[in-house]
Amino acid sequence: MKTIFFVNALKGSLSTDEICKLKNKFPITFVPLSDGGDGFLETVSYAYPRAKKHYVAAQNALGKTKKAPYLTYKNFAFLECAKIAGLAEIKPQNRKVLTSSSFGIGQVLKYISETKIKTVFVGLGGVAFNDGGAACLQAFGYRLLDEKNKEIPLGINGLIKLKKIVAPKSLKLPKIICLSDVENKLLGKQGSAQIYGPQKGASKQEVVLIESALKNFQKVIGKNLNKKFYGASGALPVALCGVLGGKIKKGTDEIFKIIKAETLVKKRSEERRVGKECR
């Protein structure tokens, strides 16, 4: 019997890499899978063994500089938000959702945008910030200003004071495709702050503040961004899609295409049929 397990990471448990290493102990084919969150780069590496891994200096959610990875294959780049500003790398007692930011995501994207890459796939999810991608825009050179035309600080504490956004004069961007299975809207009972804020360490009072900050961000942008998927990954799609023109696609659907899951299943089925005929 030929068996294929498509395995995804689970917070606080085994990573996709750790699960796939079990192939030496069981007669099973393990294939890493991700909806765009934790394990996204491992999934891409499985699908494209010749993909190149790069590292660029970028900040994690708390502002500490680290080596952040991303992959390239042909004219495509792949980055996993959880590996840049991930929640898992910060101990629960050290999580500070009001000052955590998406600045590092912007740093990596900006670096990629200055290369010859045509399309970048952004795996959403597993992040420690909830700033709607405001700091990501700041990393690109956007000026986020308060009522006194002063730059707001990174994070929710700054975003609540936002009054105006000034775009950089010249901005070169690749095509941005965001991948996520999280369909939560930006605001409300099923929104980013109320559903995911507590996971990032937010108290009830902080959840209210995050909700207000995201409402303010939407107002200043001047678009209705209270849509499905926009609550994913600390509401990062607000910046990536609402401002930078990216698109969101269903994560698992796209990743099944990337790893050619249907071809894998057919191949295993064919191996099983041939095996029976040879007995």
Side-chain angles (χ1 to χ4, degrees), residues 2-271:
K2 300 289 184 179
T3 305
I4 301 177
F5 275 11
F6 293 95
V7 296
N8 197 354
L10 183 63
K11 288 181 179 64
S13 185
L14 297 178
S15 68
T16 51
D17 270 352
E18 290 169 330
I19 296 172
C20 289
K21 288 178 181 177
L22 296 175
K23 67 182 180 181
N24 297 322
K25 297 184 179 182
F26 301 98
I28 296 171
T29 297
F30 288 100
V31 178
L33 184 66
S34 168
D35 64 352
D38 296 281
F40 177 55
L41 291 191
E42 286 81 1
T43 301
V44 174
S45 294
Y46 178 90
Y48 304 127
R50 295 185 180 180
K52 295 181 180 179
K53 179 174 279 190
H54 309 263
Y55 290 91
V56 58
Q59 293 182 14
N60 72 359
L62 297 179
K64 182 179 179 180
T65 300
K66 59 185 282 188
K67 290 183 178 180
Y70 71 93
L71 299 176
T72 58
Y73 180 72
K74 296 183 178 180
N75 289 325
F76 304 103
F78 306 84
L79 70 84
E80 179 182 323
C81 292
K83 281 189 167 51
I84 302 170
L87 183 67
E89 69 178 87
I90 303 174
K91 295 179 179 180
Q93 64 269 26
N94 295 331
R95 293 171 184 171
K96 302 175 182 179
V97 70
L98 297 186
T99 53
S100 294
S101 85
S102 57
F103 193 81
I105 309 294
Q107 288 178 298
V108 179
L109 278 172
K110 186 174 185 296
Y111 184 88
I112 293 172
S113 72
E114 294 169 351
T115 69
K116 295 181 180 180
I117 292 297
K118 301 297 183 183
T119 303
V120 56
F121 289 88
V122 180
L124 301 177
V127 300
F129 58 81
N130 212 148
D131 70 352
C136 175
L137 295 180
Q138 289 171 300
F140 266 104
Y142 280 80
R143 297 181 66 214
L144 275 60
L145 308 174
D146 63 17
E147 60 183 5
K148 295 182 180 179
N149 281 331
K150 292 184 178 180
E151 294 271 359
I152 63 170
L154 303 180
I156 293 299
N157 287 333
L159 190 59
I160 198 74
K161 301 175 183 177
L162 180 67
K163 294 297 180 183
K164 182 169 62 175
I165 299 176
V166 180
K169 291 183 178 180
S170 59
L171 185 62
K172 175 189 173 184
L173 287 172
K175 183 178 181 181
I176 298 173
I177 299 176
C178 300
L179 304 180
S180 176
D181 277 357
V182 172
E183 298 186 7
N184 297 74
K185 290 187 176 183
L186 176 62
L187 306 169
K189 292 183 178 180
Q190 295 300 313
S192 180
Q194 296 191 42
I195 294 298
Y196 299 108
Q199 292 182 4
K200 306 175 197 300
S203 65
K204 290 182 179 180
Q205 293 78 13
E206 289 172 334
V207 166
V208 173
L209 188 61
I210 294 168
E211 180 93 354
S212 297
L214 293 176
K215 284 181 181 179
N216 184 51
F217 196 20
Q218 176 183 244
K219 179 181 177 181
V220 175
I221 291 171
K223 297 179 182 179
N224 178 16
L225 301 175
N226 191 29
K227 305 173 181 179
K228 287 174 63 177
F229 292 101
Y230 276 65
S233 199
L236 185 60
V238 172
L240 296 186
C241 303
V243 178
L244 299 180
K247 303 296 181 183
I248 298 180
K249 294 189 177 183
K250 189 80 171 181
T252 303
D253 291 348
E254 292 302 311
I255 290 167
F256 267 128
K257 293 176 185 177
I258 289 173
I259 65 177
K260 299 178 181 178
E262 186 175 345
T263 301
L264 280 173
V265 173
K266 287 181 178 179
K267 181 179 179 181
R268 292 298 182 267
S269 297
E270 179 65 18
E271 289 174 353

